[in-house]
Amino acid sequence: MDIPQIVAGRFRIECELGRGGMGTVYRATHLGLERPVAIKVLKREFAADPEVGERFMREARTMARLKHPRAAMIFDAGRLADGRPFIVMEYVEGATLAEVLSREGTFAPARAVEVTAQICDVLSEAHALGIVHRDLKPSNIMLNERGVCVLDFGIAKVLATSTEVTRTHATTET
């Protein structure tokens, strides 16, 4: 791991959960509350680019606006000692839709409709806030006993009709 064992003096890193295009996600424990969280840290190779860092922090601000029970909650954000930004979010147990489909194959029609309806419910609220996900795929959908949880609004676009648009919201790169 290329991050400290303790982040922001209150989160203990437990293990790596996964890597994406912009960052690495770790499972951690909030030391004061003794509860699991997920911490996403910007990859080291992007740390020197202020535009990429701002886009990463925009994910935290964007997700913090979305308060849907089927979207991962953002608890905190900040920067490591080396300047890389991090986001602390709800740790969602379960398996990704990609993992479930790989393991089980196609869903029965009723289950497919239920999962799709739950995803659409999250996206409907996001769209009402002017947020378009732009990276919706099976690996960004968690399934568990509570149903669906939509993850990773990292390249979300905030539409011009949103009340919180800034010039940085229009940037998206491959």
Side-chain angles (χ1 to χ4, degrees), residues 24 28 48-49 66-67 107 116:
T24 303
D49 186 337
L66 184 59
K67 295 174 176 63
F107 286 172
T116 302

Side-chain angles (χ1 to χ4, degrees), residues 51-125:
E51 186 175 322
V52 174
E54 172 54 31
R55 185 169 355 137
F56 187 87
M57 293 306 288
R58 186 178 69 236
E59 176 182 1
R61 291 189 300 273
T62 299
M63 285 299 296
R65 291 176 48 211
L66 184 59
K67 295 174 176 63
H68 192 284
R70 296 192 185 283
M73 287 184 61
I74 298 296
F75 297 135
D76 200 355
R79 293 191 179 269
L80 299 176
D82 66 9
R84 286 182 293 160
F86 66 87
I87 301 168
V88 180
M89 63 193 104
E90 173 184 9
Y91 173 71
V92 179
E93 292 198 47
T96 67
L97 178 57
E99 293 166 340
V100 173
L101 288 171
S102 176
R103 185 175 61 241
E104 298 178 15
T106 58
F107 286 172
R111 185 173 183 202
V113 168
E114 179 182 346
V115 168
T116 302
Q118 291 177 14
I119 294 167
C120 288
D121 191 44
V122 175
L123 297 179
S124 177
E125 185 168 316

